[in-house]
């Protein structure tokens, strides 16, 4: 079983920055893509950023140029640096990761979510 634990959310004024972290633990053999999603009240969950095992990245148009996703493969951790935050970035942020366990089983795990609130 693979667990993901997020941290780093909080309250920040518009224009400010936050850095989210998500650490994966358990019987991990390898991790493929790691993703950040967010869900605002009354809205569907949306993909914010993804980073592949080789380091290539993709971002939602709404966060391009402001957010940066990165990963530390040695620590099975993914980060989301969020700059120039806007009130519309307010949401619960979730990390997601999939890969193989040491028993060669595919895992697709989610974190519990961390609240990000941007005040105007």
């Amino acid at each position: 079983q693979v667990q993901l634990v997020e941290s780093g959310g909080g309250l920040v004024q518009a224009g400010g920055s936050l850095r989210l972290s998500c650490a994966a633990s358990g019987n991990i053999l390898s991790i493929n893509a790691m993703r950040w999603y967010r869900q605002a009240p009354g809205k569907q969950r949306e993909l914010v950023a993804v980073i592949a095992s080789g380091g290539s990245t993709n971002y939602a148009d709404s966060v391009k140029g402001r957010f940066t996703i990165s990963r530390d493969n040695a620590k099975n951790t993914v980060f989301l640096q969020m700059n120039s935050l806007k009130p519309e970035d307010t949401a619960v942020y979730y990390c997601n990761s999939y890969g193989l366990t040491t028993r060669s089983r595919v895992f697709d795990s989610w974190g519990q979510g961390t609240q990000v609130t941007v005040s105007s």
Side-chain angles (χ1 to χ4, degrees), residues 37-46 86-94 114-118:
Y37 288 80
R38 67 185 181 186
Q39 187 167 19
K43 295 187 177 181
Q44 290 188 332
R45 189 172 298 190
E46 64 171 343
K86 303 175 181 180
E88 50 263 43
D89 294 317
T90 295
V92 178
Y93 284 70
Y94 300 89
T114 185
Q115 177 71 46
V116 171
T117 303
V118 184

Side-chain angles (χ1 to χ4, degrees), residues 20-93:
L20 306 183
S21 300
C22 173
S25 62
N27 301 322
I28 299 170
L29 176 63
S30 63
I31 296 178
N32 293 338
M34 302 185 82
R35 303 181 178 96
W36 285 99
Y37 288 80
R38 67 185 181 186
Q39 187 167 19
K43 295 187 177 181
Q44 290 188 332
R45 189 172 298 190
E46 64 171 343
L47 179 63
V48 174
V50 57
I51 184 166
S53 57
S56 60
T57 59
N58 273 296
Y59 298 91
D61 287 343
S62 59
V63 306
K64 280 182 181 177
R66 300 187 298 121
F67 290 11
T68 302
I69 188 171
S70 60
R71 61 192 285 174
D72 182 335
N73 290 329
K75 296 182 179 180
N76 292 329
T77 300
V78 63
F79 306 97
L80 186 67
Q81 178 66 43
M82 305 184 294
N83 298 328
S84 302
L85 283 161
K86 303 175 181 180
E88 50 263 43
D89 294 317
T90 295
V92 178
Y93 284 70

